[in-house]
Amino acid sequence: MTRLPDFIIGGAPKCGTTSLHFILGQNPEIGIPDQEIHYFDADDPITHPDFLTENENGLKWFDPSQENAPNLSWYMSCFSEFQNHQLVGEDSTTYLFSAVAARRIKRLLPDVKLVFLLRNPVKRAYSQYWHLICSGRLSCGFETAISAHSSIILGSTYAPHLAEYFRVFGRDNVHVALFEDFLSDKQAYLDGVTAHIGASNMDVETLKTWFNRTNYPSLPKGQQLINYLGQPIVSRRYRNHMGHESGLSHAIRKKIHYQWFKRINPILLTAQKPPAMKSETARYLTGHLSLRNAGLSELLGRDLSQVWPGFSE
């Protein structure tokens, strides 16, 4: 018997997906793979540049279409261990701002329940930048990254993408939760999610909560230099996400990745918090991301200016 997801947590990145995954994973009714799957947008060069490579025939890429039987079989295999669970889900934080994921999900999983997590878009963008720095994938300052790494702005552009999911799936199948609500009332936040996906209630007081401590660079410029030198290694870190590569070259590459991220990448990651965002940058992003999310308060039926200081439409 093939088991496919009953629910999908589709983003946005750096909005509490890991915490929600960890909490839901403590419910014996729910089966959810440990890693993000990224099946429905695996051919997107903006969100997953690591998944596209070149060979002698040109571009090598992962085809998420249903017509590609081997790749669909790979997706199904991600849930093979959860055959006896009442509910099966996945979380892939880039589905929200994918231009193609909504229609692909609808085609394969027409009745799936969708969960999207949002956060103050300025804080989310800054958090993503530091995640990319700490994981070795960026070697520039935040102001440069805003234009050089388009997923930082795209990931904080919620309104048009949520509107598309509402259009494709209907509002009843889409649940939107705010990271700020998670911080203020975890029980109410979790009750909203479990009710939407059809899981039994969970008592937050009896659960372990994810403590996702991040260490930041003590010398940001030094970390940028390390990341620059490590680009040839880091750029291929997720090349075999779908598990299609094997052999000696893959084994060597995997060993190099392991040693880099164990011994070199963490050398300067000793600070407990990142430096504050520059005030002029914050002012720019507050205005720009408010415009990009025009209509979001009306879409969600909630005045988000009361939750995200400075947000206006």
Side-chain angles (χ1 to χ4, degrees):
M1 180 179 69
T2 299
R3 192 69 192 272
L4 286 170
D6 302 291
F7 69 91
I8 292 175
I9 305 170
K14 311 309 294 179
C15 293
T17 304
T18 302
S19 296
L20 181 58
H21 178 134
F22 183 73
I23 291 171
L24 292 179
Q26 296 172 66
N27 188 327
E29 301 172 359
I30 298 173
I32 184 167
D34 290 336
Q35 67 174 356
E36 294 190 21
I37 307 299
H38 298 303
Y39 173 72
F40 294 102
D41 64 344
D43 57 343
D44 190 329
I46 296 175
T47 55
H48 304 298
D50 295 352
F51 294 176
L52 279 71
T53 58
E54 293 182 68
N55 58 23
E56 62 277 6
N57 298 317
L59 189 65
K60 181 181 178 183
W61 53 288
F62 183 91
D63 181 2
S65 67
Q66 284 183 263
E67 289 75 16
N68 192 310
N71 290 349
L72 180 57
S73 295
W74 172 83
Y75 181 63
M76 293 177 175
S77 73
C78 295
F79 311 100
S80 59
E81 64 181 292
F82 306 120
Q83 299 295 333
N84 297 322
H85 286 72
Q86 180 178 328
L87 293 170
V88 173
E90 66 139 309
D91 58 291
S92 295
T93 55
T94 54
Y95 288 164
L96 175 57
F97 55 93
S98 167
V100 296
R103 293 184 295 278
R104 284 174 171 167
I105 295 170
K106 181 66 174 180
R107 185 177 177 188
L108 182 63
L109 307 168
D111 300 317
V112 73
K113 295 293 185 181
L114 293 156
V115 177
F116 294 112
L117 312 179
L118 310 184
R119 179 185 184 182
N120 180 313
V122 177
K123 291 184 177 181
R124 193 223 64 82
Y126 200 48
S127 180
Q128 183 182 350
Y129 165 76
W130 285 108
H131 173 74
L132 293 170
I133 286 288
C134 295
S135 59
R137 285 179 279 179
L138 270 185
S139 56
C140 61
F142 182 54
E143 285 69 25
T144 300
I146 288 171
S147 56
H149 202 292
S150 55
S151 71
I152 291 176
I153 294 296
L154 192 60
S156 288
T157 306
Y158 311 136
H161 305 296
L162 278 176
E164 174 68 2
Y165 274 95
F166 284 158
R167 186 189 69 79
V168 172
F169 286 92
R171 287 178 175 264
D172 290 344
N173 287 322
V174 181
H175 178 76
V176 180
L178 304 187
F179 179 69
E180 291 78 9
D181 290 341
F182 174 77
L183 296 179
S184 64
D185 190 341
K186 290 182 176 62
Q187 188 63 61
Y189 175 96
L190 183 59
D191 288 347
V193 173
T194 53
H196 180 69
I197 66 176
S200 60
N201 290 337
M202 303 173 69
D203 183 357
V204 169
E205 296 298 324
T206 66
L207 301 171
K208 296 178 181 178
T209 54
W210 178 260
F211 184 56
N212 191 15
R213 168 177 278 177
T214 299
N215 287 332
Y216 297 92
S218 53
L219 296 171
K221 292 288 187 182
Q223 188 67 43
Q224 290 174 32
L225 177 59
I226 290 175
N227 293 353
Y228 177 78
L229 296 174
Q231 281 179 353
I233 297 172
V234 178
S235 64
R236 298 186 175 191
R237 185 180 185 186
Y238 298 102
R239 179 172 170 175
N240 200 36
H241 176 76
M242 282 74 180
H244 289 172
E245 295 189 5
S246 59
L248 180 60
S249 61
H250 168 65
I252 293 173
R253 191 161 51 242
K254 187 176 180 180
K255 186 71 172 179
I256 292 172
H257 290 166
Y258 175 80
Q259 292 299 328
W260 179 267
F261 284 99
K262 179 178 176 62
R263 302 182 185 280
I264 307 299
N265 188 71
I267 290 174
L268 296 177
L269 299 179
T270 59
Q272 298 303 304
K273 61 181 181 179
M277 188 188 306
K278 295 176 181 177
S279 59
E280 188 62 20
T281 304
R283 190 172 73 84
Y284 161 73
L285 285 177
T286 299
H288 182 71
L289 293 175
S290 290
L291 289 171
R292 276 183 168 261
N293 287 293
L296 185 60
S297 291
E298 182 179 357
L299 192 66
L300 300 183
R302 182 174 183 179
D303 183 358
L304 294 173
S305 68
Q306 300 300 309
V307 186
W308 301 334
F311 183 80
S312 61
E313 300 179 63

